[in-house]
């Protein structure tokens, strides 16, 4: 167990976590940031916009995911840990950044205990765990996208394995997209294939209609599952639904070009989007009684404080970014929610509060 007791521990170093850490240190708090980027595959969604430029966020023009992630790190590094005097008492402020995938968050009286795996995960090797203590904690760990289980071309297996993540996150405009709002502009008036089922996928189709009216919905062998009213609109909009199971990707180098279907037909499109749902990065909260929506995203009050199942704020526990329930958040929202969480966590540590009467 580390000797240090941090004021604020931030879990995740995407835009939400970074902003929360900077805002809390700006209020003179001693902040620990634990991020799983180098320890696990979970690098955060902001990272994965690999070669597609981020266009609609308050970041440098032309920046891509990995550079954006680097700049966020540099921003936090600009606030190193230093001591300062307040009256005659020594205090500490600044940000301690550590590689660490948080595996458990518990509370012992007034302090949070954070367990994190701090070395790269290796098959057949036990995790290297470290423990930290903190007065408050901010969950900014985002979510991962659910991916369909579609084979890569057997004869090209090695190449495709190597490029699996490139394909998945639209490393080029011919990979899989996961965010129509983010990448739709790359396919104006082009043929877009959307993968998913139910009324859920039609929500993505509605977004896609801002960019193109050439849309096909692929269900990958499942019944479409759309409600009558949605189906009526799908037909009015002349959106094709294909329920055949997909056999494998058709690709060339890192470009995805289409699919071979189980019935032998081939389908070619300009752009692919998958919307099969999400997996919240909140495993470390197992055992906590907290409010979440049907997708597992966290519900907070307006101070970004997490709530128990009775709607009561959980002392010292905050959340920000994509992990927050609501319309899918994006980078600018993640910054805004992160700032709110960083300030609220800092305020909660004040010794003196305004008198109630
Ligand atoms: C391909 C793609 C393109 C996108 N394009 C745009 C765009 O153009 N414009 C836009 O505004 N938005 C875009 N987005 C959305 C945007 O990336 C997200 O809204 C934003 O990154 C959310 O920020 P966040 O900080 O909440 O989460 P993330 O950026 O997902 O960061 C999560 C952080 O948590 C860490 N983490 C996860 N689990 C743990 C754990 N157990 N312990 C410790 N750390 C953990 C990760 O390492 C990461 O640092 C895009 C997303 C994708 C996938």
């Amino acid at each position: 167990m580390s000797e240090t007791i941090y004021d604020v521990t931030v879990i995740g170093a995407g835009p939400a976590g970074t902003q929360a850490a900077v805002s809390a240190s700006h209020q003179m708090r001693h902040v620990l940031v634990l991020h799983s980027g180098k320890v696990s595959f979970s690098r955060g969604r902001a990272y994965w916009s690999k070669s597609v430029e981020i266009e609609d966020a308050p970041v440098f023009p032309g920046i891509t995911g990995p550079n954006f992630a680097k700049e966020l790190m540099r921003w936090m590094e600009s606030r190193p840990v230093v001591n300062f005097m307040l009256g005659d008492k020594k205090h500490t402020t600044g940000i301690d950044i550590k590689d660490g995938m948080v595996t458990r968050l518990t509370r012992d009286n007034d302090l949070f205990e954070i367990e994190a795996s701090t070395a790269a995960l290796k098959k057949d090797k036990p995790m290297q765990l470290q423990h930290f203590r903190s007065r408050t904690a901010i969950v900014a760990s985002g979510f991962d996208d659910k991916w369909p289980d579609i084979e890569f071309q057997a004869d090209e297996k090695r190449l495709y394995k190597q490029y699996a993540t490139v394909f998945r996150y639209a490393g080029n405009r011919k990979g899989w997209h996961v965010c129509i709002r983010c990448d739709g502009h790359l396919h104006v008036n082009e043929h877009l294939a959307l993968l998913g089922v139910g009324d859920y996928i039609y929500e993505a189709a509605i977004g896609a209609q801002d960019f193109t009216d050439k849309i096909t919905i692929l269900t990958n062998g499942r019944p479409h599952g759309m409600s009558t009213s949605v189906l009526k609109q799908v037909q009015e909009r002349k959106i094709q639904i294909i329920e055949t199971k997909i056999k494998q990707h058709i690709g060339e180098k890192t470009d995805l070009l289409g699919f071979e279907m189980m019935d032998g037909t081939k389908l070619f499109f300009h752009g692919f989007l998958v919307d099969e749902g999400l997996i919240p990065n909140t495993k470390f909260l197992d055992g906590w009684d907290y409010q979440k929506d049907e997708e597992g995203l966290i519900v907070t009050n307006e101070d970004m404080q997490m709530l128990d199942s009775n709607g009561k704020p959980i002392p010292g526990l905050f959340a920000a970014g994509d992990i927050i329930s609501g319309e899918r958040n994006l980078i600018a929202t993640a910054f805004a929610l992160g700032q709110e969480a960083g300030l609220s966590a800092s305020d909660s540590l004040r010794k003196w509060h305004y008198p109630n009467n």
Side-chain angles (χ1 to χ4, degrees):
M1 177 75 73
S2 144
E3 285 297 303
T4 311
I5 296 175
Y6 291 94
D7 293 320
V8 180
T9 290
V10 180
I11 304 170
T18 300
Q19 176 73 63
V22 169
S23 290
S25 94
H26 195 218
Q27 302 309 306
M28 309 310 283
R29 306 302 178 203
H30 188 191
V31 182
L32 169 67
V33 173
L34 288 162
H35 69 102
S36 60
K38 291 191 193 140
V39 174
S40 78
F41 184 70
S42 183
R43 284 174 174 268
R45 294 183 93 235
Y47 175 88
W48 287 112
S49 194
K50 284 206 113 169
S51 65
V52 178
E53 295 172 0
I54 298 167
E55 291 192 11
D56 65 335
V59 292
F60 303 107
I63 203 160
T64 57
N67 287 334
F68 180 42
K70 247 188 239 159
E71 291 303 324
L72 291 176
M73 213 41 82
R74 266 165 35 103
W75 190 26
M76 288 194 289
E77 284 162 2
S78 72
R79 307 196 68 93
V81 176
V82 291
N83 292 323
F84 68 101
M85 297 301 289
L86 204 58
D88 55 3
K89 248 188 123 191
K90 198 167 97 179
H91 290 261
T92 306
T93 180
I95 308 176
D96 234 343
I97 311 164
K98 292 191 191 297
D99 294 327
M101 185 180 74
V102 174
T103 47
R104 218 149 66 97
L105 181 76
T106 49
R107 189 158 52 192
D108 186 14
N109 294 317
D110 286 345
L111 291 183
F112 288 94
E113 286 190 8
I114 303 116
E115 177 191 83
S117 155
T118 50
L121 298 178
K122 290 211 175 91
K123 222 176 143 199
D124 306 327
K125 284 249 165 95
M127 281 190 202
Q128 264 182 45
L129 295 174
Q130 278 189 41
H131 296 85
F132 305 91
R133 283 181 299 178
S134 183
R135 295 187 174 90
T136 62
I138 300 175
V139 178
S141 45
F143 61 76
D144 284 328
D145 299 283
K146 271 191 195 157
W147 294 101
D149 192 15
I150 301 172
E151 289 298 324
F152 297 105
Q153 269 169 299
D155 53 340
E156 298 272 16
K157 207 156 197 157
R158 275 190 49 224
L159 179 68
Y160 281 88
K161 269 223 155 105
Q162 188 184 340
Y163 286 108
T165 55
V166 181
F167 276 164
R168 286 187 162 190
Y169 278 105
N172 51 34
R173 65 193 293 281
K174 289 270 184 191
W176 275 106
H177 300 292
V178 284
C179 170
I180 193 67
R181 284 189 212 279
C182 310
D183 296 345
H185 68 284
L186 299 168
H187 296 290
V188 173
N189 206 26
E190 290 187 348
H191 189 180
L192 262 185
L194 311 182
L195 188 104
V197 287
D199 293 352
Y200 193 76
I201 194 61
Y202 187 59
E203 282 182 34
I206 287 183
Q209 289 174 79
D210 294 341
F211 307 99
T212 183
D213 56 5
K214 299 172 192 123
I215 299 170
T216 303
I217 292 176
L218 303 172
T219 69
N220 195 16
R222 295 161 293 179
H224 62 69
M226 288 173 197
S227 62
T228 317
S229 53
V230 164
L231 194 60
K232 189 164 165 269
Q233 217 179 88
V234 165
Q235 284 156 354
E236 272 167 29
R237 297 286 301 120
K238 297 198 171 33
I239 294 173
Q240 194 190 8
I241 301 176
I242 298 179
E243 292 180 321
T244 318
K245 192 159 171 56
I246 299 165
K247 186 174 170 207
Q248 62 186 7
H249 289 102
I250 301 170
E252 197 178 274
K253 297 208 171 134
T254 59
D255 287 348
L256 278 182
L257 304 177
F259 295 124
E260 186 183 334
M261 313 300 277
M262 281 298 188
D263 63 7
T265 53
K266 287 184 176 163
L267 293 155
F268 292 92
F269 308 95
H270 298 107
F272 305 87
L273 178 118
V274 60
D275 201 349
E276 296 272 34
L278 56 89
I279 306 162
N281 293 323
T282 48
K283 191 93 192 62
F284 53 85
L285 287 174
D286 283 359
W288 282 85
D289 167 34
Y290 67 97
Q291 279 193 21
K292 53 187 162 191
D293 67 14
E294 65 283 355
E295 290 190 292
L297 297 175
I298 295 172
V299 176
T300 64
N301 65 13
E302 77 265 19
D303 291 329
M304 310 315 299
Q305 192 164 8
M306 289 176 59
L307 306 169
D308 68 17
S309 52
N310 295 318
K312 260 183 66 188
I314 304 174
L317 191 55
F318 300 82
D322 269 8
I323 197 61
I324 299 295
S325 173
E327 267 292 292
R328 289 289 143 77
N329 301 321
L330 294 176
I331 289 169
T333 334
F335 278 129
L337 300 180
Q339 187 170 55
E340 190 62 39
L343 294 179
S344 296
S346 301
D347 290 358
S348 74
L349 292 165
R350 284 183 188 145
K351 202 166 161 198
W352 297 100
H353 294 276
Y354 201 81
N356 278 334
N357 49 17

